[in-house]
């Protein structure tokens, strides 16, 4: 890559780089989906090629699987792995309790299954993803295609009794066609602006017929690693209430940046 990385990309890279140090040979690791998770896959691929790291990766999407194979990671399915040592994934929002909104990339169903089948979940993010209250990012809800208008209407009706500021329920599109997940389902994005009670909302959404899963991750994340544009990385472990900050020196001619550009 020629020229200097934008601060947002540096933030994503250093968070991913720090998270990659948690992966050890012999592990089975869930690999998330999204722009920050792609940096992680690149970092791990470099460790496989240059340091001899040997681990099994379980991708949360077809897109991640393709990239992981490309960079030399040994990819297996969750059925083959059965249980994972660790999952590392990005997020669209997280709060002080490490409750997440995920699904901007359309993979939150697989991401939640993989994360809950792991001993630990590490979330990597840039600093913009930290919020005081969830909800500015639309909450994705994966639904089956059959009876979509009914499901959409039931969700809207349910929201009238929830502690939220917005109640728009919008089908996600890809161009002029409905967005389709890897499981062949549709996504409804809930524009809520503020979510006062994520746990209650998650329970209520998942009771609606036609809903497969929503993008609220509650009591799933154990560690969050936040990257900053100046190379700082802050790590917080909620399980033992510890945290630390380190500084990375980011070199713009690093080979990993060339890989990302390709």
């Amino acid at each position: 890559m020629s020229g200097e990385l934008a601060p947002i990309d540096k933030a994503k890279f250093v968070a991913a780089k720090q998270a990659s140090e948690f992966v050890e040979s012999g592990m089975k690791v869930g690999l998330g989906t999204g722009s920050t998770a792609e940096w992680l896959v690149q970092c791990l691929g470099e460790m496989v090629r240059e340091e001899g790291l040997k681990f099994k990766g379980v991708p949360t999407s077809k897109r991640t699987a393709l990239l992981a194979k490309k960079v030399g990671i040994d990819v297996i399915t969750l059925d083959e792995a059965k249980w994972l040592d660790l999952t590392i994934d990005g997020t669209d929002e997280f709060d002080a309790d490490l409750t997440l909104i995920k699904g901007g990339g359309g993979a939150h169903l697989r991401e939640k299954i993989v994360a809950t089948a792991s001993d630990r979940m590490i979330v990597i993010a840039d600093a913009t993803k930290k919020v005081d209250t969830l909800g500015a990012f639309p909450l994705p809800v994966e639904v089956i295609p059959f009876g979509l208008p009914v499901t959409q209407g039931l969700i809207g009706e349910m929201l009238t009794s929830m502690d939220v500021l917005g109640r728009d329920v919008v089908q996600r599109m890809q161009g002029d066609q409905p967005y389709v997940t890897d499981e062949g389902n549709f996504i409804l994005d809930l524009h809520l602006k503020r979510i006062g009670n994520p746990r209650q909302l998650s329970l209520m959404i998942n009771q609606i017929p036609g809903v497969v899963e929503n993008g609220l991750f509650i009591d799933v994340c154990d560690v969050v690693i936040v990257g900053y544009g100046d190379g700082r990385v802050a790590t917080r472990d909620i399980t033992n209430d510890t945290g630390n900050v380190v500084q990375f020196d980011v070199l713009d001619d690093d080979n990993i940046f060339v890989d990302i550009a390709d």
Side-chain angles (χ1 to χ4, degrees):
M1 175 180 288
S2 59
E4 186 176 350
L5 277 176
I8 190 70
D9 290 322
K10 284 186 179 180
K12 292 177 180 181
F13 167 66
V14 295
K17 189 69 172 176
Q18 180 75 355
S20 69
E21 299 301 321
F22 285 80
V23 179
E24 302 174 358
S25 285
M27 280 187 168
K28 292 178 286 187
V29 181
L31 304 174
T33 296
S35 60
T36 310
E38 287 179 6
W39 285 106
L40 170 75
V41 173
Q42 292 283 352
C43 289
L44 292 174
E46 185 179 53
M47 293 168 70
V48 167
R49 297 190 303 271
E50 300 186 6
E51 301 175 21
L53 177 68
K54 296 184 183 299
F55 75 100
K56 307 288 187 182
V58 176
T60 55
S61 66
K62 295 176 182 177
R63 174 180 171 183
T64 297
L66 288 172
L67 179 60
K69 291 175 183 177
K70 178 181 177 182
V71 301
I73 294 173
D74 187 1
V75 171
I76 62 174
T77 66
L78 183 58
D79 289 349
E80 292 171 315
K82 296 183 174 60
W83 194 260
L84 306 178
D85 299 285
L86 180 67
T87 286
I88 307 176
D89 204 348
T91 189
D92 297 303
E93 284 186 347
F94 72 94
D95 66 12
D97 296 325
L98 302 195
T99 298
L100 321 172
I101 286 182
K102 290 178 53 56
H108 63 276
L109 173 58
R110 290 192 183 187
E111 289 170 337
K112 189 175 284 191
I113 293 171
V114 170
T116 54
S118 306
D119 287 337
R120 301 179 80 198
M121 181 190 189
I122 296 176
V123 162
I124 50 178
D126 63 85
T128 65
K129 303 300 193 297
K130 173 71 166 65
V131 298
D132 293 328
T133 304
L134 298 173
F137 192 91
L139 174 64
V141 178
E142 185 159 340
V143 299
I144 66 170
F146 178 81
L148 176 66
V150 174
T151 304
Q152 188 169 0
L154 289 172
I155 291 174
E157 183 178 335
M158 176 272 300
L159 289 175
T160 62
S161 62
M162 293 293 102
D163 184 7
V164 296
L165 289 182
R167 296 181 176 86
D168 291 336
V169 181
V170 181
Q171 183 175 3
R172 186 178 299 185
M173 304 295 289
Q174 192 165 39
D176 60 354
Q177 297 296 318
Y179 180 91
V180 179
T181 71
D182 283 351
E183 302 303 317
N185 296 317
F186 294 158
I187 289 181
L188 297 174
D189 287 315
L190 280 52
H191 296 260
L192 306 177
K193 301 180 182 178
R194 184 186 67 84
I195 300 173
N197 190 330
R199 192 179 301 274
Q200 179 191 42
L201 179 63
S202 179
L203 289 171
M204 294 299 293
I205 289 173
N206 283 4
Q207 289 180 17
I208 294 174
V211 169
V212 181
E213 188 54 81
N214 70 81
L216 284 166
F217 283 53
I218 302 170
D219 299 333
V220 177
C221 176
D222 302 292
V223 178
V224 63
I225 299 176
V226 181
Y228 296 84
D230 61 1
R232 285 180 299 127
V233 183
T235 301
R236 181 186 172 208
D237 188 333
I238 199 172
T239 58
N240 54 25
D241 197 25
T242 60
N244 69 287
V245 179
V246 298
Q247 179 77 42
F248 278 89
D249 292 325
V250 181
L251 302 177
D252 295 313
D253 59 353
D254 195 317
N255 287 337
I256 196 168
F257 298 146
V258 177
D259 292 340
I260 288 290
D262 294 340

